[in-house]
Amino acid sequence: MRIAHTALWTHDLDAAANFWETYFGATVGEPYRSQRRPGFVSRFISLPGSNAQIELMTGPWLPRDSQSERIGWDHIAISLGSKAAVDSLAERCKADDCLKSAPRTTGDGFYEAVITMPEGTPVEITI
């Protein structure tokens, strides 16, 4: 058994796709426009070296106050394979003003940093 994909709502599909392409080297699929749900558009992204996919979705009905914590998924964690890779991407994101939490070892033993997508969605990067 494996997770086929996870899905993420966003107001700006292009900015979200660009984030994953820029920082993770993701392959971005073509937009899908639903015929049954007018305004719904999605794009699948594939992470290199993995079968993992993320479906980025948008629609005109999305509330604008999506920055606050709420029930549901909070973040996704991407394993970069090494402490050096975490440090390097964190430094790059700091320069681009999208580093939320600098690299550290957490109380439960994970070495991680947190970066944010254009609309503030957290992405944990770890070894």
Side-chain angles (χ1 to χ4, degrees):
M1 188 179 313
R2 68 178 179 83
I3 295 173
H5 73 269
T6 188
L8 174 69
W9 288 108
T10 180
H11 289 111
D12 191 336
L13 200 57
D14 291 332
N18 185 57
F19 170 86
W20 288 97
E21 191 173 46
T22 299
Y23 297 110
F24 296 98
T27 301
V28 180
E30 293 298 315
Y32 160 75
R33 298 178 195 295
S34 176
Q35 299 300 313
R36 295 185 337 160
R37 193 172 186 196
F40 176 87
V41 182
S42 72
R43 295 180 83 170
F44 275 90
I45 62 164
S46 300
L47 300 175
S50 169
N51 291 329
Q53 289 189 308
I54 299 170
E55 182 181 13
L56 304 173
M57 308 178 304
T58 193
W61 53 83
L62 293 177
R64 286 290 167 181
D65 179 21
S66 61
Q67 301 300 311
S68 59
E69 290 182 344
R70 57 184 166 69
I71 299 298
W73 299 104
D74 177 68
H75 68 274
I76 188 168
I78 305 294
S79 173
L80 302 181
S82 71
K83 183 177 179 179
V86 172
D87 291 343
S88 177
L89 183 54
E91 194 61 35
R92 186 173 165 203
C93 289
K94 181 178 181 181
D96 291 345
D97 201 30
C98 61
L99 178 66
K100 181 177 181 178
S101 175
R104 66 187 179 98
T105 301
T106 64
D108 52 1
F110 286 95
Y111 187 76
E112 67 181 38
V114 179
I115 62 176
T116 58
M117 293 181 56
E119 294 174 305
T121 302
V123 176
E124 186 178 292
I125 54 175
T126 188
I127 296 175

